[in-house]
Amino acid sequence: MLSLVYMPSDYHPVLLALGEHGDLARLSDCLAAFAGNPAELDLTAELTGRAGGACVILRPVSEDAGLAQEAPGADRLIWALTPHTAMAFADEVARLVADPALAGSTVLEIGVLDEIKVKVSHGEWEDPAIRAPKGAA
């Protein structure tokens, strides 16, 4: 299951998209589908199966604005992308998925002022649900 975790910071806020290859392939597919049919999409509900709380909304725009909080202190993040940029991001994530390395990551950003960067990662974090207990062989 893909995890979307927002890490607020005064200087370098980031949205982490953590998962395995299949999870990240679904993220790439969502971005590509958004590029082909630009309509507002609750990315969190689409990729994690949950709605409410902290969430990421993809919103079509004519000029890229990047990822930002909907309002200061809000749990909703708005990822305002043109179809062209969404497709470029879908391709970037697809390249990460196609890489046979056991771990890897990429950062999705437009480069606008105060943008929240999106770090997409696989294999660089440890899921405590599957970690063997200490002392286990």
Short mmCIF file of all heavy atoms in Angstrom, two decimals, residues 14 21 79 96-97:
data_model
loop_
_atom_site.label_atom_id
_atom_site.label_comp_id
_atom_site.label_asym_id
_atom_site.label_seq_id
_atom_site.Cartn_x
_atom_site.Cartn_y
_atom_site.Cartn_z
N VAL A 14 7.98 18.57 2.83
CA VAL A 14 8.02 17.54 1.80
C VAL A 14 6.83 16.60 1.97
O VAL A 14 6.36 16.37 3.08
CB VAL A 14 9.36 16.76 1.86
CG1 VAL A 14 9.50 15.97 3.14
CG2 VAL A 14 9.55 15.86 0.66
N HIS A 21 7.30 -1.13 -5.90
CA HIS A 21 7.19 -0.85 -7.34
C HIS A 21 5.74 -0.79 -7.82
O HIS A 21 5.36 0.11 -8.56
CB HIS A 21 7.97 -1.89 -8.15
CG HIS A 21 9.44 -1.65 -8.14
ND1 HIS A 21 10.27 -2.28 -7.23
CD2 HIS A 21 10.23 -0.87 -8.91
CE1 HIS A 21 11.51 -1.88 -7.45
NE2 HIS A 21 11.52 -1.03 -8.46
N TRP A 79 -2.22 19.87 -5.33
CA TRP A 79 -1.14 19.69 -6.29
C TRP A 79 -1.65 20.21 -7.62
O TRP A 79 -2.34 19.49 -8.36
CB TRP A 79 -0.75 18.23 -6.37
CG TRP A 79 0.64 17.96 -6.86
CD1 TRP A 79 1.60 18.88 -7.19
CD2 TRP A 79 1.23 16.68 -7.05
NE1 TRP A 79 2.74 18.24 -7.58
CE2 TRP A 79 2.55 16.89 -7.51
CE3 TRP A 79 0.77 15.38 -6.90
CZ2 TRP A 79 3.41 15.85 -7.81
CZ3 TRP A 79 1.63 14.35 -7.19
CH2 TRP A 79 2.93 14.57 -7.64
N LEU A 96 11.47 5.34 -12.44
CA LEU A 96 11.86 4.82 -11.13
C LEU A 96 11.36 3.40 -10.95
O LEU A 96 12.09 2.53 -10.47
CB LEU A 96 11.30 5.73 -10.02
CG LEU A 96 11.59 5.34 -8.58
CD1 LEU A 96 13.09 5.36 -8.29
CD2 LEU A 96 10.85 6.25 -7.63
N VAL A 97 10.13 3.14 -11.36
CA VAL A 97 9.55 1.80 -11.24
C VAL A 97 10.31 0.80 -12.12
O VAL A 97 10.52 -0.35 -11.73
CB VAL A 97 8.04 1.83 -11.62
CG1 VAL A 97 7.48 0.42 -11.75
CG2 VAL A 97 7.26 2.64 -10.59
#
